[in-house]
Amino acid sequence: MTLSPMPPEPILTRQVVIKPDGRRVMVYTFESADADQPPAPPADDSARHVGASLEPAPG
Amino acid sequence: MSELRWNPLLGEWTITATHRQERTFLPPADYCPLCPTRPGAFETEIPVPTFDIVVFENRFPSLQASPPRPAVEGCDLYPVRPAQGVCEVVVYTDRHTTTLAEESTERIRRLILVWCDRFTELGARDDVAYVYIFENKGEAIGVTLHHPHGQIYAYPFIPPRIARKLAQAEHHWQSTGRDLLGDVLDEEQRDGRRIVCENEAFVAFIPFFARFPYETLIVPRRPATAITDFDAGERWRLAEILKTLLVGYDRLFGFSLPYIMALHQRPTDGRDYPYARFHVEFLPPHRTAHKLKYLAGSESGAGAFINDTIPEETAPRLRACCIAEG
């Protein structure tokens, strides 16, 4: 069972932008509750393919 | 043209949305509409140069806050309603070539905070009866954009499969006084063979009745009807078990596994649902590395699923791939 330490939860902020066609865009930012807490680490940026080659579909 | 058409044979709504035939289909990475708009580059859906997580209203929605009038006349047999609701796209990161499994537990926690915000705002709308948060991942599922993202459909009705699950839970609640998914969790823990991973707040397992070989449920140990019921500690543990399971899925066959991820919560139609229990459902279509489970004659025509595997054999395989992430 996982019992890793829990970093402090960041505070969510939402900024709403209205696009020219009227649609809403919500831009979320996260302020660390702990000034020493690093930002979310980036992921591995190498290109990848989701899924694999598959057998033909039936019928 | 877009409207809700009543299916009297099944007692459920069909959503028509002909404009979706024109939606962007697998564009090259340079023209991804979910990437940020870089200075001097083409204008994407997201009008900022960098971002953490962004949600926007779908350009090709199945449901709209101001829907057009139905293009056809209804009748007693075939009622018709406007396709009222909201369809949003949740962009997990500004990085094009990643997946949720490859993101940090911290970023998954931030996504959970965004899900809470969207559930609260959309669920408060008078025209929304159910807020459905989900992700389609991989071309095997039918994604049209590779940039890591999920979706939210805010329906004006409770979708039929969810209504059926709620009806089962209500019947169990009324006849036993207990919540059904809680009893399922107890049985899975008592048996133990189908548990995939767990932490102090959540348990993931391939259920006894799984329809797909690697179908998984993540269930909270304590009753909670919606994602907004969790405290900060539980949100972190949910992020943790999602990370563990997602990484495990990618290790299973040695490639980034396609799946449907669905969050199940209480409806937001103003009624009480004490028997509803939050859970996350994963439906990966792969039954082996190179073979998919298709919804063919029995599944699509009769609604009777045939699973070519048994969860007592698939769960240990997936469990071996699920090593808790630090």
Side-chain angles (χ1 to χ4, degrees), chain A residues 3-55:
Chain A
L3 286 172
S4 63
M6 183 187 79
E9 187 166 79
I11 298 164
L12 171 148
T13 305
R14 178 179 66 192
Q15 179 192 358
V16 179
V17 178
I18 307 297
K19 293 172 74 76
D21 62 8
R23 286 182 295 138
R24 299 172 77 220
V25 180
M26 280 67 72
V27 181
Y28 288 92
T29 54
F30 300 86
E31 185 179 337
S32 175
D34 176 352
D36 296 329
Q37 181 65 24
D44 173 8
D45 203 19
S46 57
R48 59 193 35 77
H49 175 69
V50 177
S53 59
L54 300 165
E55 65 180 1

Side-chain angles (χ1 to χ4, degrees), chain B residues 235-254:
Chain B
R235 285 190 288 272
W236 177 254
R237 297 303 174 204
L238 178 57
E240 230 173 27
I241 199 166
L242 281 167
K243 173 73 178 177
T244 300
L245 182 60
L246 289 165
V247 169
Y249 271 144
D250 284 1
R251 287 182 180 138
L252 182 64
F253 296 127

Side-chain angles (χ1 to χ4, degrees), chain A residues 1-12 14-15 17 19-30 32 37-58, chain B residues 44-45 47 52-59 88 95 97-99 102-104 106 109-110 113-114 117-118 121 137-138 198-200 221 232-233 235-237 240 255-256 258 286-287 289-292 294 324:
Chain A
M1 187 180 299
T2 304
L3 286 172
S4 63
M6 183 187 79
E9 187 166 79
I11 298 164
L12 171 148
R14 178 179 66 192
Q15 179 192 358
V17 178
K19 293 172 74 76
D21 62 8
R23 286 182 295 138
R24 299 172 77 220
V25 180
M26 280 67 72
V27 181
Y28 288 92
T29 54
F30 300 86
S32 175
Q37 181 65 24
D44 173 8
D45 203 19
S46 57
R48 59 193 35 77
H49 175 69
V50 177
S53 59
L54 300 165
E55 65 180 1
Chain B
T44 74
E45 288 282 28
D52 203 331
I53 296 175
V54 159
V55 177
F56 65 88
E57 291 176 332
N58 199 319
R59 183 180 166 201
E88 294 183 337
R95 296 149 56 84
T97 55
T98 180
T99 66
E102 291 159 346
E103 293 297 330
S104 65
E106 173 59 30
R109 173 166 66 174
R110 294 177 183 195
L113 290 169
V114 170
D117 183 71
R118 300 320 303 148
E121 181 177 324
K137 178 191 170 197
E198 58 188 312
N199 61 30
E200 65 191 57
R221 291 184 187 275
R235 285 190 288 272
W236 177 254
R237 297 303 174 204
E240 230 173 27
F255 57 81
S256 185
H286 278 260
R287 53 190 172 91
H290 304 290
K291 294 176 181 172
L292 290 180
Y294 290 100

Side-chain angles (χ1 to χ4, degrees), chain B residues 148-167:
Chain B
H149 71 287
Q151 300 184 62
I152 303 175
Y153 276 22
Y155 295 98
F157 54 84
I158 300 173
R161 180 166 179 260
I162 292 161
R164 187 175 171 192
K165 290 176 76 171
L166 286 167

Side-chain angles (χ1 to χ4, degrees), chain B residues 8-242:
Chain B
L9 301 183
L10 289 174
E12 64 188 39
W13 292 103
T14 298
I15 305 170
T16 65
T18 57
H19 54 284
R20 286 176 55 79
Q21 288 279 47
E22 308 303 320
R23 70 185 186 275
T24 310
F25 182 77
L26 298 176
D30 291 351
Y31 289 92
C32 172
L34 306 188
C35 281
T37 299
R38 311 285 189 193
F42 104 102
E43 188 175 335
T44 74
E45 288 282 28
I46 301 171
V48 291
T50 62
F51 63 86
D52 203 331
I53 296 175
V54 159
V55 177
F56 65 88
E57 291 176 332
N58 199 319
R59 183 180 166 201
F60 301 97
S62 306
L63 305 163
Q64 302 174 58
S66 300
R69 288 173 56 86
V72 295
E73 287 286 327
C75 64
D76 287 345
L77 185 61
Y78 293 158
V80 173
R81 287 169 55 184
Q84 183 88 37
V86 181
C87 290
E88 294 183 337
V89 179
V90 183
V91 188
Y92 298 162
T93 168
D94 60 5
R95 296 149 56 84
H96 184 83
T97 55
T98 180
T99 66
L100 194 58
E102 291 159 346
E103 293 297 330
S104 65
T105 304
E106 173 59 30
R107 180 173 294 280
I108 296 172
R109 173 166 66 174
R110 294 177 183 195
L111 177 61
I112 290 167
L113 290 169
V114 170
W115 286 341
C116 290
D117 183 71
R118 300 320 303 148
F119 180 82
T120 300
E121 181 177 324
L122 295 170
R125 292 175 61 111
D126 290 339
D127 59 349
V128 171
Y130 196 87
V131 179
Y132 178 54
I133 298 168
F134 65 101
E135 178 187 351
N136 296 329
K137 178 191 170 197
E139 288 183 44
I141 298 295
V143 299
T144 55
L145 300 171
H146 285 307
H147 195 116
H149 71 287
Q151 300 184 62
I152 303 175
Y153 276 22
Y155 295 98
F157 54 84
I158 300 173
R161 180 166 179 260
I162 292 161
R164 187 175 171 192
K165 290 176 76 171
L166 286 167
Q168 287 292 108
E170 183 177 19
H171 176 74
H172 189 79
W173 178 269
Q174 289 176 345
S175 58
T176 69
R178 299 190 304 272
D179 90 272
L180 178 57
L181 198 49
D183 279 0
V184 167
L185 176 59
D186 287 347
E187 176 59 24
E188 293 295 343
Q189 289 184 292
R190 187 198 62 75
D191 185 287
R193 290 176 295 168
R194 295 175 293 272
I195 303 290
V196 171
C197 53
E198 58 188 312
N199 61 30
E200 65 191 57
F202 293 89
V203 181
F205 55 89
I206 299 181
F208 175 78
F209 45 82
R211 299 171 304 158
F212 292 85
Y214 294 95
E215 168 183 338
T216 304
L217 300 182
I218 297 177
V219 178
R221 291 184 187 275
R222 78 167 176 91
T225 61
I227 197 167
T228 47
D229 293 349
F230 297 127
D231 62 24
E234 290 168 320
R235 285 190 288 272
W236 177 254
R237 297 303 174 204
L238 178 57
E240 230 173 27
I241 199 166
L242 281 167

